[in-house]
Amino acid sequence: MTNGNIDLGLLVLRLWFGLEMAFAHGLPKLMKILDGNMSFGDPIGIGVGPSLVLATFGEFVCGILIAAGFFTRLSCIPYIITMLVAAFIAHGGDGWGKMSFPLMYAVAGIVLLLTGPGKYSLDHRMFVSKTGV
């Protein structure tokens, strides 16, 4: 496998897991906040409002950043934490079927945290030296 294939694979991974998280899970939470509906769980005991805001940040904002490949590794941290809270605290008693979905997102986030976003990313375009040094 060439580096180009690895970079293309990282692009597909970022786009799928970033956009899926942002629009399928984070956007509905963002809309709740914008509508003034702060009803949400309080899985870590910090309050309903802060829990909703943190989950929205981890899912929507970080999902978009991951898809774009912008501050990717940094964005993976709240994304992963949000998914681990969802898996082990919010759905911990629901069985493997409910836990496996947030764990899949967490694994994708861990892969991107370890590998970085690849060359088809804003991080590469903005922060990697054009001289190759």
Side-chain angles (χ1 to χ4, degrees), residues 107-127:
V107 167
I110 292 166
V111 168
L112 291 168
L113 181 65
L114 294 173
T115 63
K119 75 176 182 180
Y120 303 121
S121 66
L122 290 175
D123 285 341
H124 187 270
R125 191 154 174 83
M126 295 175 68
F127 304 122

Side-chain angles (χ1 to χ4, degrees), residues 32-50:
K32 284 179 64 145
I33 292 170
L34 295 176
D35 289 340
N37 176 2
M38 300 301 281
S39 62
F40 193 68
D42 185 17
I44 58 173
I46 61 171
V48 171

Side-chain angles (χ1 to χ4, degrees), residues 46-70:
I46 61 171
V48 171
S51 293
L52 177 59
V53 169
L54 287 174
T56 302
F57 179 77
E59 293 177 4
F60 185 76
V61 175
C62 293
I64 295 291
L65 292 171
I66 288 167
F70 190 56

